[in-house]
PDB file of all heavy atoms in Angstrom:
ATOM      1  N   ALA B 236      10.297   9.334 -37.584  1.00 98.00           N
ATOM      2  CA  ALA B 236       9.137   8.953 -36.768  1.00 98.00           C
ATOM      3  C   ALA B 236       8.541   7.636 -37.265  1.00 98.00           C
ATOM      4  O   ALA B 236       8.120   6.785 -36.478  1.00 98.00           O
ATOM      5  CB  ALA B 236       8.083  10.063 -36.795  1.00 98.00           C
ATOM      6  N   GLU B 237       8.536   7.473 -38.581  1.00 98.00           N
ATOM      7  CA  GLU B 237       8.019   6.235 -39.171  1.00 98.00           C
ATOM      8  C   GLU B 237       8.873   5.039 -38.743  1.00 98.00           C
ATOM      9  O   GLU B 237       8.353   3.968 -38.433  1.00 98.00           O
ATOM     10  CB  GLU B 237       7.988   6.374 -40.698  1.00 98.00           C
ATOM     11  CG  GLU B 237       7.675   5.114 -41.478  1.00 98.00           C
ATOM     12  CD  GLU B 237       6.257   4.617 -41.236  1.00 98.00           C
ATOM     13  OE1 GLU B 237       5.416   5.434 -40.809  1.00 98.00           O
ATOM     14  OE2 GLU B 237       6.006   3.408 -41.470  1.00 98.00           O
ATOM     15  N   ALA B 238      10.188   5.231 -38.704  1.00 98.00           N
ATOM     16  CA  ALA B 238      11.086   4.140 -38.281  1.00 98.00           C
ATOM     17  C   ALA B 238      10.853   3.789 -36.811  1.00 98.00           C
ATOM     18  O   ALA B 238      10.816   2.610 -36.433  1.00 98.00           O
ATOM     19  CB  ALA B 238      12.538   4.548 -38.512  1.00 98.00           C
ATOM     20  N   VAL B 239      10.673   4.800 -35.975  1.00 98.00           N
ATOM     21  CA  VAL B 239      10.411   4.551 -34.549  1.00 98.00           C
ATOM     22  C   VAL B 239       9.085   3.810 -34.390  1.00 98.00           C
ATOM     23  O   VAL B 239       8.975   2.848 -33.621  1.00 98.00           O
ATOM     24  CB  VAL B 239      10.389   5.880 -33.758  1.00 98.00           C
ATOM     25  CG1 VAL B 239       9.924   5.663 -32.322  1.00 98.00           C
ATOM     26  CG2 VAL B 239      11.785   6.518 -33.773  1.00 98.00           C
ATOM     27  N   ARG B 240       8.087   4.231 -35.172  1.00 98.00           N
ATOM     28  CA  ARG B 240       6.789   3.574 -35.103  1.00 98.00           C
ATOM     29  C   ARG B 240       6.894   2.119 -35.528  1.00 98.00           C
ATOM     30  O   ARG B 240       6.295   1.220 -34.928  1.00 98.00           O
ATOM     31  CB  ARG B 240       5.775   4.309 -35.984  1.00 98.00           C
ATOM     32  CG  ARG B 240       4.316   4.044 -35.609  1.00 98.00           C
ATOM     33  CD  ARG B 240       3.352   4.504 -36.689  1.00 98.00           C
ATOM     34  NE  ARG B 240       3.650   3.895 -37.983  1.00 98.00           N
ATOM     35  CZ  ARG B 240       3.426   2.620 -38.292  1.00 98.00           C
ATOM     36  NH1 ARG B 240       2.904   1.813 -37.398  1.00 98.00           N
ATOM     37  NH2 ARG B 240       3.732   2.167 -39.493  1.00 98.00           N
ATOM     38  N   THR B 241       7.671   1.870 -36.577  1.00 98.00           N
ATOM     39  CA  THR B 241       7.843   0.501 -37.070  1.00 98.00           C
ATOM     40  C   THR B 241       8.473  -0.396 -36.009  1.00 98.00           C
ATOM     41  O   THR B 241       8.022  -1.521 -35.782  1.00 98.00           O
ATOM     42  CB  THR B 241       8.729   0.504 -38.338  1.00 98.00           C
ATOM     43  OG1 THR B 241       8.076   1.285 -39.335  1.00 98.00           O
ATOM     44  CG2 THR B 241       8.976  -0.905 -38.857  1.00 98.00           C
ATOM     45  N   VAL B 242       9.488   0.116 -35.338  1.00 98.00           N
ATOM     46  CA  VAL B 242      10.156  -0.683 -34.299  1.00 98.00           C
ATOM     47  C   VAL B 242       9.203  -0.924 -33.126  1.00 98.00           C
ATOM     48  O   VAL B 242       9.092  -2.054 -32.627  1.00 98.00           O
ATOM     49  CB  VAL B 242      11.456   0.011 -33.833  1.00 98.00           C
ATOM     50  CG1 VAL B 242      12.021  -0.673 -32.592  1.00 98.00           C
ATOM     51  CG2 VAL B 242      12.487   0.004 -34.962  1.00 98.00           C
ATOM     52  N   CYS B 243       8.500   0.099 -32.702  1.00 96.00           N
ATOM     53  CA  CYS B 243       7.547  -0.063 -31.590  1.00 96.00           C
ATOM     54  C   CYS B 243       6.436  -1.040 -31.966  1.00 96.00           C
ATOM     55  O   CYS B 243       6.022  -1.877 -31.153  1.00 96.00           O
ATOM     56  CB  CYS B 243       6.935   1.288 -31.205  1.00 96.00           C
ATOM     57  SG  CYS B 243       8.090   2.385 -30.357  1.00 96.00           S
ATOM     58  N   ASP B 244       5.955  -0.951 -33.183  1.00 95.00           N
ATOM     59  CA  ASP B 244       4.879  -1.827 -33.627  1.00 95.00           C
ATOM     60  C   ASP B 244       5.345  -3.279 -33.647  1.00 95.00           C
ATOM     61  O   ASP B 244       4.639  -4.185 -33.190  1.00 95.00           O
ATOM     62  CB  ASP B 244       4.419  -1.398 -35.033  1.00 95.00           C
ATOM     63  CG  ASP B 244       3.070  -1.979 -35.389  1.00 95.00           C
ATOM     64  OD1 ASP B 244       2.169  -1.937 -34.539  1.00 95.00           O
ATOM     65  OD2 ASP B 244       2.931  -2.490 -36.520  1.00 95.00           O
ATOM     66  N   ASP B 245       6.549  -3.486 -34.138  1.00 96.00           N
ATOM     67  CA  ASP B 245       7.132  -4.827 -34.204  1.00 96.00           C
ATOM     68  C   ASP B 245       7.278  -5.400 -32.788  1.00 96.00           C
ATOM     69  O   ASP B 245       6.859  -6.538 -32.505  1.00 96.00           O
ATOM     70  CB  ASP B 245       8.490  -4.713 -34.917  1.00 96.00           C
ATOM     71  CG  ASP B 245       9.064  -6.059 -35.306  1.00 96.00           C
ATOM     72  OD1 ASP B 245       8.685  -7.073 -34.693  1.00 96.00           O
ATOM     73  OD2 ASP B 245       9.923  -6.099 -36.204  1.00 96.00           O
ATOM     74  N   LEU B 246       7.818  -4.612 -31.872  1.00 95.00           N
ATOM     75  CA  LEU B 246       8.005  -5.085 -30.493  1.00 95.00           C
ATOM     76  C   LEU B 246       6.659  -5.344 -29.818  1.00 95.00           C
ATOM     77  O   LEU B 246       6.480  -6.352 -29.124  1.00 95.00           O
ATOM     78  CB  LEU B 246       8.802  -4.051 -29.686  1.00 95.00           C
ATOM     79  CG  LEU B 246      10.281  -3.880 -30.085  1.00 95.00           C
ATOM     80  CD1 LEU B 246      10.890  -2.707 -29.313  1.00 95.00           C
ATOM     81  CD2 LEU B 246      11.081  -5.155 -29.839  1.00 95.00           C
TER      82      LEU B 246
END
Side-chain angles (χ1 to χ4, degrees):
Chain B
E237 171 66 21
V239 172
R240 201 194 56 72
T241 299
V242 170
C243 288
D244 197 45
D245 192 337
L246 291 173

